[in-house]
Amino acid sequence: MKIRILLTLFLVSVLSLSASPNLVKVMPADGSKNVGIAGSIVLMFDKDVVAGDAVCTLNGEKIVPTLISKVAKFEYAGLSYSTDYLLEVPSGAILDKSGDAFAGTSVKFTTVQRPAVDPKLFDFVVDPNAAQTGAKVGKTIQSAFKAIPEKSAKRFYVFIKNGVYNERLTLPATKQNVTFIGESR
């Protein structure tokens, strides 16, 4: 009886050592919405993992994971807003320490929508397509320059929406404490 139990335990431990790594958790989960445009995708396994030879991709572009213990972390930045992405981890890209290959997986997710700009957060908004202009909104960067108070101790924030601005600009030295924030930069 004792020998049978020991043999069973031995076989279970040998089989578990040779089994491929299993995926325990994925963050963000497959099918997630509102994922940040910069961040990381984390795959957690049931055993320690190392890199294999197969290439992982994010929307067809090569992405290399950082592998620590039981975690594979795929860091990314600069993704587009409101866009579907696909991380593909093929078989052989991740191995356990005995060389057994992870079967592979794919993770689909959609990035967040571009946040709406609240003009209340800015002292002036430059928008080439503005329907109305006035004390807080203008169609040119020059209009923002005119709105900036002189010798102000308080910071003045100007938001510049995407557009083409064909202007020659010089900000007078008397207009200080100004921050320009571009929509895409």
Side-chain angles (χ1 to χ4, degrees):
M1 180 74 170
K2 242 183 184 181
I3 294 174
R4 181 182 277 169
I5 292 172
L6 286 174
L7 182 58
T8 302
L9 287 173
F10 175 75
L11 289 174
V12 167
S13 65
V14 167
L15 291 175
S16 68
L17 285 175
S18 63
S20 301
N22 293 309
L23 192 57
V24 175
K25 188 172 186 177
V26 178
M27 297 180 298
D30 187 40
S32 289
K33 307 282 185 206
N34 298 317
V35 175
I37 60 169
S40 58
I41 302 164
V42 178
L43 306 181
M44 300 170 85
F45 296 91
D46 62 346
K47 53 176 65 176
D48 288 352
V49 291
V50 295
D53 292 331
V55 175
C56 301
T57 59
L58 180 60
N59 272 22
E61 298 290 323
K62 181 179 177 180
I63 186 167
V64 178
T66 301
L67 298 155
I68 301 172
S69 186
K70 297 178 181 182
V71 175
K73 185 175 182 180
F74 298 85
E75 295 188 47
Y76 62 86
L79 300 186
S80 298
Y81 289 105
S82 302
T83 303
D84 293 330
Y85 284 91
L86 175 65
L87 170 70
E88 293 182 283
V89 181
S91 177
I94 298 174
L95 314 170
D96 66 12
K97 289 192 173 184
S98 57
D100 294 315
F102 168 57
T105 192
S106 60
V107 180
K108 295 177 187 175
F109 63 93
T110 304
T111 53
V112 297
Q113 290 183 344
R114 179 183 296 274
V117 175
D118 184 0
K120 294 177 191 169
L121 299 176
F122 300 97
D123 297 303
F124 196 88
V125 174
V126 179
D127 182 354
N129 302 314
Q132 291 183 333
T133 60
K136 291 204 168 243
V137 178
K139 291 186 176 194
T140 65
I141 298 171
Q142 184 63 46
S143 63
F145 280 19
K146 288 179 184 175
I148 299 167
E150 294 202 16
K151 298 181 182 174
S152 176
K154 181 181 171 252
R155 180 143 310 268
F156 191 87
Y157 292 92
V158 177
F159 180 78
I160 303 172
K161 293 199 69 146
N162 288 342
V164 176
Y165 300 93
N166 293 315
E167 303 175 62
R168 283 190 178 242
L169 302 166
T170 303
L171 184 64
T174 57
K175 298 198 176 194
Q176 53 202 19
N177 287 329
V178 181
T179 298
F180 295 98
I181 301 164
E183 183 175 12
S184 295
R185 300 220 179 225

